[in-house]
Structures are given as C-alpha cells and as structure tokens.
Amino acid sequence: MALATSILCGVLTIILVALVQNQARDHVRESIGFGLGELAQQAADKLDRGMYERYREINLLARRIADLGPHSTLESQRRMLDDAHRSYGYYSWLGIATVDGKVRVAARGLLEGANVGARPWFRNALAGTHIGDVHEALLLAKLLPRVDGEPQRFVDVAFPIGAPDGRPRAVLGAHLSWQWAQDVERSVIEPIQEGRRVDALIVDTQGLVLLGPPELQGTTIDTASLRAAHGKRGVGYVLERWADGRDYLVGYSQTRGHADYPGLGWTVLLRQEAGNAYAPVQRLGQYALWTGVGLAVLFSIAGALVANWITHPIKSLQAHADRIRHGAAAPLVPDERSYDEVRSLSSALNTLLADLVRRRRELEELNRTLEQRVADRTQELASALAIVQQNAQHINTIIETAHDAFIGMDLDGMVTDWNTQAERMFGWRRHEAIGRPLADLVLPQRYHDSLRRAVVEFRTTGHTNALNRRVERIVRTRQGEEFAIEMTAGIAGIGERSFFSIFLHDISLRKRVDQMKNELVATVSHELRTPLTSMRASLSLLKSGAAGPIDGEVEELVEIAHRHCERLVRLVSDMLDVEKIESGRLTAHPKPQPLAPIVDDALGAMRVQAHDARVDLCSDCVAGAAAARAEVDRDRITQVLLNLLSNALKFAPPESAIDVTLAQAGRGLRITVADRGPGIPAAFRARIFQRFAQANSGADRKTSSGLGLAISRQILVEHGGELWFEDRAGGGTCFHVDLPLAGSGRVAAA
C-alpha cells in the first residue's frame, strides 16, 4: 500500500508538473516571440520618428531660405546650411541647386558648381516627392571617407524653394547618412544583447536588405515573417527556417510614417536563433522536472511513514487472525493507541469469532444427523423420480395409442418427438425424424417461410395465431404426395425448454366428400334452375292473366305456387353462390363509383315488399358521403343490400320503419340498415354468419335458406370490407357494411 501510494503520488506530481511546465513553456515562448515583435516595433517607431524630424527640419529650412527672398547672399545661405550640418551630424551633405540642376551653394562647399539635375532626389522634389530610399554615394563617394571600409549610403530628403510667384526657384537637398539607422538598431538591440544573439534587419518594399548581417546585406529575401509583416501591417512573430538551414524566432514590424512624413514602407525584422531564444524555456523545464522529482521523493517518504502507521495495528490483527486459524479462541484486545477504524475492526472480528464458535457447534450437531437426513432425502428423490417416470410412460402411452399423429417441435423448428401415427401418416420412421427440421419433413416448399415466421413470432412476442385452435393445413408425405390435415398446436414446457405440441388429423377424405357434395349441389342447382325458371315464367303469365281470366280459388293456388317457385329460385341462386365461394369462383369486378345511387336502387327494389309488410323504408345520406366514391361491384353490393333489407323486413313489426344510412366512418364509407325488430338472440350471435343458420324458422314469412348473410359477408371480404352488427338503441338490430374509399387499396381475401 505504501509503495502504491508513493508511486501514485510520484506519478500525479510528475503529471501535474508536466502540465504546469507545458503551460508555462507555451506562455514563455509566446512572451519571447511577442518581445521580439515589440522590439521590432520600437525600432520601426524610432526610424519613423527620426526620419520625421529630418523631414520636418529640411522642410522648415527650405521655407526659411524662401523667406529670405531671391536677393539673399550665398554666404548667408551657406551659414544656414553649415549650422544645420553642425546641429545634426548625420547630414553628410546639404546643398541648394537651381532649377537647372546646378549646385549653387552647399555646406562645407561640397559639390558647389556640380550639376545634380539627373539625380532622383532633385527630380522627385520638383515632382512633389520629398523622400528617397537608401542608395550608395555617387558624386560624394570620392569626397567623403568610407565607413568601416564600405562606401557611404544615404537617405535623400529634398524640398523645393519657392519664389514669390509660387513657382520653385531652387531645390534644397540633404543626404542623411545611413549610419543613423545603424545607431537606431544598436540603441534597440544592445540592452538585450547580453546572453542573446539578436540580428536586426531593415528591408525595403522589394525585399532588399538595407541593413542587417553582412551575409544578408544587399540581398533580396522572401521569408514568412516578411510576408506576414506585409499582410498584417502589424506586430507579430513567427518561427521559421532561413536559407542558412537554421531555425529562427523572428519578430516583425513595418514602418508606417509619422505625422505628415509618409514613410518608405521599410520592414524591421529582429531574428534570434531558436535554440538561443528558447534557452529560458529549457531551463524552466529542467527546473520543473527536478522540482517534480523532489516532490515525488518527499511524497514517497511521507507515504511510507503514513503507511507504516496505518499497517502496524493491521499487522497485529493479522497475527491474531493467524492464531484463530490455528485453533485459538481468545478475543482480540486492541491497542489503546489504535485509531477508531482498527478498534471497530477488532470489535467486528470478536463478533465474527463468537459467531464462528457458535456455527462450529451447530455444524458438529448437524453432522451427527446428516446421514439420516441424506437417506431420507434420497428416498424422497427416488419416489419423485418414479412418479415422473410413471407420468412420462403414461403420457407416452397416451400419445402412442392416440388416433391422431403427434409431433413435438422445439423453438428452433427441430423435431423432438414423433409417434407411430406420425410414422404411418408421413412415412418417416421415428429415428429418421428426430432432430431434423419439421418443415423439411412434412411441409411443401412453398410453406417453409410461413412456418419460420410463426416460430420467429413466438420467440419474439411469446404467442402466435396458430396456437390452441384448429387450423387446416396442406402437408406432404415422404413420397411428396400432398394432402389436407386439421392441426391443433399448443406450447408445453417453460423458458428455453419449451416446445410445440402438435396433433394432426387427416381430413383428406372429408375434403374429398365436401368436394363431391359441392359438385353435387352445383350440379343439382344448375339442373334445377332451368325448369324453375320456366315454371316461374309460366306462373307469372297465369298470374297476370295472359292465359285468360281465372277464378278466385285458382288464382289463390297460382299465387301460392308462384310464391314458392320464387323461393326455390332464390334458394337455387344462393346455393350456386355458395358453390362459387367454396370453389373460389365468387368474383367481383369493382370500379370507383358513389354508393348513394346503389342504396337508392336497392330501396326502390324493396318498396313493394315493404308496402305489403306495412313497413316504411327511410334513407339518409350524411353530408359529404354522397360525393365520396368507393371501389365496388355494383351488382354484388346491391345483392348484399337486398339481403339485409329482406332480413330486416322479415323481422320488422308492422307500422315500424327501417332506416338506411350512408355516412363516412374512419377512412371509409359505412351503410347501416337498422330495424325495430326483436333483435338477435344471444345464443344465435356466434353462428349468425354461418351457412344455413336461421334465427327463427316458425312462420313462413320469416323463413329463408339461411345463406344470405354468409354470402354477403364473403362478398364484402372480396371488396376488402367488413359486415358486422350491433344492437340498436331502443330495440332492434343494426347491420353495418364498411367499405374502403376508392384509392385506399383493397385487402384481398385470404
């Protein structure tokens, strides 16, 4: 613990020192860089102010000479020039030239009589430019001594001397020795030169080094610092590599002129070799490193002392625990100088020791009775195992003697059980089926995905629609022959050990019988329709008097025959529709159209029957529903409405009304047929849509084939709609026909 504490303290100290060092190093580097930039700015400011003084001084001198007038003597002008030369020693030459370029008078008489008309300073002064850049001496090169073995260089300042009429009559020119700029450089750099090697460079607008180290002076440079000074026109610094291959920290600033002095656009660069510039940073880093090491050592020593103080009583507790492990049972007495945590731990150990002693006694007592308890538990487990084996054998016997095939399938779709009836039904032996996918054994290829989806649905949601109900499926034998079965599936077991318990009953014979029955019904219905149609036509002619008048008794017999013939025709038509439903040939040809005209046609067709039954037919179209369109087969929907109206008329009491309403419901249209009859009995509700189902078959007026609602519901399924009913408030029944709006899509019947 002491070692870990010491290492942790040392690491944290070093990390902290490193972070502080990095922050300090960055700050110091930035301070050094900005310091060079500020020195460059000071040098640039001194250059600007010095040039401003000379600029102003020559301008004032030109004005004074102009005030003397054109009649002033040459001697007086020479005295003024000599005074100016003596007042500022950096004037290498001062002179006045006439407008034709001839030097009329000059300080110390230098170049008097010489022609300077071709010199740039003379032409620029007359053109309004009063300051000229650095250049070497030409005419004065032989008259003035060299400085440090090099020819002198000047900065030109010149102003025209005006005549009373405002035109220039002469030009006052001054050559300012470049030694002045070198003195400015020394005044800025010398205070910081001790321990630091700083080079100063003055560069003109074209990149020519006017002042600088001997190897660079007179050369043209293009450095990042120079570009930065031109771009920002401010103060800053950069770290860059120069042509000599060394890295320099360079501070830069650009001259901007002063007052009315426009400046020459010089750039001042102060460069210092990076190693020399960052020497204080390196010393700071070494100091911080040794400080961190020293602090880490101090923390380690302190940690060792604290750890020894902490671990001494713990070692005493360890020694006492070793004695307890070797059999001693004496309680622990803590040292009076121990800290609170050790005293608390001692108390806890004493409590633990007492508990261990008690548990040891209980364990000894338990061991004495353990063998008998193990024998008793073994006997109980043997009895339970025998019961389980008996139950398993009982279940296997039931499954094996069942008339239906039984298959067990796990949650991965693999067969886990396969009884004898399954062997006979599919042709696969039990040992061949166990462990194989059920889909590969009994399902046609087209149904594999549906079984897989059902298994995935159960694993995801815990239920599936195929559980605990009878469903019909198509399966195949080992030889590939397909047949129909009725299947009941349930789930057994718990959790991951759950499996599907599936019983299968062969209904292929029943299907064939149903098919034969349907074919018989279809054949009989077709055979009956032709003679029934002829009989109905003949009876209609007799009833209408086409064959001559008939007396009252015969007319009554004809009426009865005609009514029952109509009933037989409807029954045969319903049977034919049922046969079409069974064979899948009940088709609809829907197209978008409004439902209001269809409802009106159906009501018109039932008006006569309603009049005979003394029942009013009332219709209502809710606003917006009349213009809505549904995609329907007009004849089929009319058939549905006629069935519903016919049923309502059978059960509606005389002098009541049947209300037919067309309205929008949800995302579709709804037609409601509501009567005031006795309602649908509770026992009949579950099978009202089954074939041949009848709620009341007592009276002739209320008898029917029992097929109308079944056919109507199938027609609505073909349209993607729904037929349902509910009790009407105040008595009676409401049948609702729901149809989707045109363009909302149809749901194909399964």
Side-chain angles (χ1 to χ4, degrees):
M1 181 177 177
L3 178 62
T5 303
S6 300
I7 292 174
L8 180 61
C9 291
V11 170
L12 291 177
T13 303
I14 292 174
I15 291 174
L16 181 61
V17 169
L19 292 175
V20 174
Q21 176 186 350
N22 287 336
Q23 294 293 329
R25 181 171 61 246
D26 294 341
H27 179 71
V28 171
R29 284 183 175 179
E30 188 174 354
S31 299
I32 293 172
F34 276 115
L36 286 176
E38 290 174 356
L39 287 175
Q41 185 184 29
Q42 293 176 17
D45 185 64
K46 284 189 175 184
L47 289 173
D48 281 334
R49 290 180 180 274
M51 285 298 300
Y52 166 70
E53 292 295 333
R54 308 289 78 75
Y55 185 88
R56 184 173 62 88
E57 190 172 42
I58 298 301
N59 189 14
L60 291 175
L61 184 59
R63 291 180 181 179
R64 287 179 59 191
I65 294 173
D67 292 340
L68 293 177
H71 303 294
S72 62
T73 63
L74 295 179
E75 189 62 30
S76 62
Q77 294 178 4
R78 184 178 290 111
R79 283 197 303 270
M80 293 178 67
L81 296 178
D82 287 338
D83 291 341
H85 180 268
R86 285 191 297 271
S87 67
Y88 190 71
Y90 289 114
Y91 285 131
S92 297
W93 182 82
L94 284 168
I96 300 173
T98 61
V99 293
D100 58 358
K102 185 176 180 180
V103 178
R104 186 174 64 181
V105 62
R108 297 180 296 172
L110 295 176
L111 295 181
E112 285 185 358
N115 193 318
V116 294
R119 302 301 299 150
W121 63 266
F122 181 82
R123 296 195 306 271
N124 291 340
L126 292 176
T129 301
H130 309 299
I131 192 77
D133 215 332
V134 180
H135 65 88
E136 291 186 359
L138 295 178
L139 298 177
L140 294 173
K142 297 179 180 180
L143 302 177
L144 297 177
R146 288 175 174 262
V147 179
D148 297 331
E150 295 182 357
Q152 291 201 30
R153 292 186 295 167
F154 305 126
V155 177
D156 299 327
V157 183
F159 282 90
I161 300 173
D165 59 0
R167 290 182 298 178
R169 62 184 177 84
V171 174
L172 172 63
H175 291 338
L176 182 63
S177 174
W178 187 239
Q179 188 66 31
W180 152 78
Q182 294 175 341
D183 292 343
V184 170
E185 171 200 4
R186 284 192 294 272
S187 69
V188 173
I189 295 178
E190 282 182 356
I192 65 168
Q193 244 347 5
E194 184 177 357
R196 300 175 65 181
R197 296 186 294 276
V198 179
D199 296 329
L201 292 87
I202 299 177
V203 187
D204 68 6
T205 57
Q206 303 301 319
L208 180 66
V209 179
L210 304 175
L211 180 66
E215 68 273 11
L216 294 177
Q217 188 164 303
T219 63
T220 300
I221 62 173
D222 182 17
T223 63
S225 55
L226 187 60
R227 291 191 296 272
H230 289 167
K232 297 180 180 178
R233 299 188 62 83
V235 179
Y237 73 94
V238 293
L239 180 64
E240 59 182 348
R241 177 161 294 185
W242 283 52
D244 59 0
R246 299 179 181 178
D247 292 328
Y248 291 91
L249 185 66
V250 183
Y252 57 80
S253 180
Q254 193 169 23
T255 61
R256 302 180 180 179
H258 184 74
D260 57 346
Y261 163 61
L264 292 172
W266 294 338
T267 301
V268 179
L269 303 179
L270 294 183
R271 72 173 191 177
Q272 185 178 5
E273 200 171 346
N276 181 263
Y278 291 148
V281 178
Q282 295 176 352
R283 290 193 297 271
L284 176 64
Q286 294 175 355
Y287 174 77
L289 176 63
W290 288 113
T291 301
V293 172
L295 290 175
V297 172
L298 289 177
F299 278 129
S300 299
I301 295 173
L305 295 175
V306 173
N308 182 63
W309 175 72
I310 293 174
T311 57
H312 178 72
I314 296 177
K315 290 180 179 178
S316 300
L317 293 177
Q318 180 184 1
H320 187 77
D322 289 338
R323 290 194 297 272
I324 293 175
R325 183 167 59 85
H326 289 94
L332 175 64
V333 179
D335 190 350
E336 292 295 333
R337 294 173 297 176
S338 299
Y339 42 89
D340 293 340
E341 288 80 3
V342 172
R343 287 194 291 272
S344 298
L345 182 59
S346 300
S347 176
L349 286 175
N350 287 331
T351 303
L352 179 61
L353 178 61
D355 188 60
L356 286 175
V357 172
R358 180 180 58 80
R359 289 181 179 275
R360 180 185 296 175
R361 293 171 183 168
E362 292 177 354
L363 184 60
E364 291 174 353
E365 179 65 24
L366 180 63
N367 287 336
R368 285 194 293 268
T369 60
L370 181 60
E371 292 184 0
Q372 182 60 40
R373 296 176 65 182
V374 169
D376 294 341
R377 293 293 176 84
T378 303
Q379 182 62 34
E380 292 176 1
L381 289 175
S383 300
L385 179 60
I387 293 173
V388 171
Q389 291 176 343
Q390 182 179 0
N391 290 336
Q393 183 178 3
H394 181 64
I395 292 172
N396 288 334
T397 301
I398 293 174
I399 292 174
E400 285 298 323
T401 57
H403 292 289
D404 293 337
F406 173 78
I407 298 175
M409 182 183 73
D410 64 15
L411 301 184
D412 294 324
M414 311 300 288
V415 175
T416 60
D417 206 346
W418 189 272
N419 72 349
T420 303
Q421 293 298 328
E423 292 181 351
R424 295 173 183 170
M425 181 178 291
F426 296 104
W428 296 95
R429 306 292 295 175
R430 175 183 172 85
H431 67 275
E432 294 175 324
I434 297 297
R436 294 184 60 181
L438 178 62
D440 293 346
L441 295 177
V442 304
L443 287 182
Q445 183 65 35
R446 61 184 181 277
Y447 297 132
H448 284 195
D449 288 342
S450 61
L451 177 61
R452 180 182 56 80
R453 287 194 297 270
V455 173
V456 171
E457 179 186 5
F458 179 80
R459 294 181 69 94
T460 305
T461 64
H463 63 82
T464 180
N465 293 333
L467 288 179
N468 302 318
R469 65 189 186 93
R470 290 182 177 272
V471 293
E472 294 184 5
R473 292 290 184 266
I474 300 298
V475 295
R476 65 181 178 88
T477 64
R478 184 171 188 172
Q479 292 74 26
E481 298 177 0
E482 296 186 2
F483 62 98
I485 55 98
E486 190 174 64
M487 179 187 77
T488 303
I491 190 70
I494 300 174
E496 290 298 324
R497 299 180 64 86
S498 302
F499 65 94
F500 293 99
S501 173
I502 307 171
F503 284 91
L504 304 97
H505 180 66
D506 187 352
I507 60 171
S508 57
L509 178 60
R510 189 180 76 189
K511 285 291 184 181
R512 286 195 295 271
V513 171
D514 288 343
Q515 183 178 1
M516 293 171 62
K517 179 195 71 176
N518 292 335
E519 291 176 355
L520 175 61
V521 170
T523 301
V524 171
S525 298
H526 279 290
E527 292 299 327
L528 287 175
R529 171 175 278 185
T530 301
L532 282 174
T533 302
S534 300
M535 291 170 60
R536 182 175 62 176
S538 300
L539 290 171
S540 297
L541 291 173
L542 289 174
K543 182 180 178 183
S544 63
I550 54 177
D551 56 19
E553 184 177 355
V554 174
E555 183 180 3
E556 182 180 357
L557 293 175
V558 170
E559 175 63 28
I560 293 172
H562 182 267
R563 186 169 63 251
H564 284 283
C565 185
E566 289 283 352
R567 180 172 175 272
L568 285 174
V569 170
R570 288 196 302 272
L571 179 59
V572 169
S573 297
D574 289 346
M575 294 295 291
L576 287 175
D577 285 341
V578 169
E579 188 273 332
K580 290 179 181 179
I581 293 173
E582 291 289 341
S583 61
R585 293 187 293 108
L586 182 64
T587 58
H589 303 283
K591 61 180 180 180
Q593 55 187 301
L595 293 180
I598 300 177
V599 174
D600 292 339
D601 289 348
L603 289 172
M606 298 300 293
R607 294 282 181 197
V608 175
Q609 296 184 31
H611 181 270
D612 294 341
R614 290 183 296 158
V615 175
D616 292 333
L617 296 180
C618 303
S619 63
D620 182 26
C621 184
V622 179
R629 298 162 66 87
E631 193 170 348
V632 297
D633 185 318
R634 185 185 185 98
D635 293 337
R636 290 298 184 185
I637 298 302
T638 300
Q639 181 180 354
V640 171
L641 294 178
L642 291 177
N643 281 333
L644 296 179
L645 290 171
S646 177
N647 286 341
L649 286 172
K650 291 176 185 177
F651 295 99
E655 308 303 331
S656 65
I658 297 175
D659 297 319
V660 180
T661 305
L662 174 62
Q664 288 187 330
R667 301 178 60 184
L669 292 173
R670 174 175 295 172
I671 303 173
T672 301
V673 179
D675 62 53
R676 287 297 183 183
I680 301 173
F684 182 63
R685 290 172 179 256
R687 54 190 182 89
I688 188 172
F689 292 111
Q690 295 179 3
R691 300 170 199 160
F692 304 107
Q694 296 182 7
N696 186 358
S697 60
D700 291 341
R701 188 174 62 87
K702 299 180 181 179
T703 58
S704 67
S705 63
L707 297 172
L709 290 178
I711 295 171
S712 298
R713 192 175 205 184
Q714 186 61 33
I715 290 173
L716 287 175
V717 169
E718 291 291 332
H719 282 76
E722 185 179 3
L723 175 63
W724 56 288
F725 68 92
E726 62 180 349
D727 291 335
R728 184 179 185 182
T733 306
C734 294
F735 276 88
H736 301 290
V737 176
D738 288 342
L739 289 166
L741 289 172
S744 62
R746 294 177 61 242
V747 179

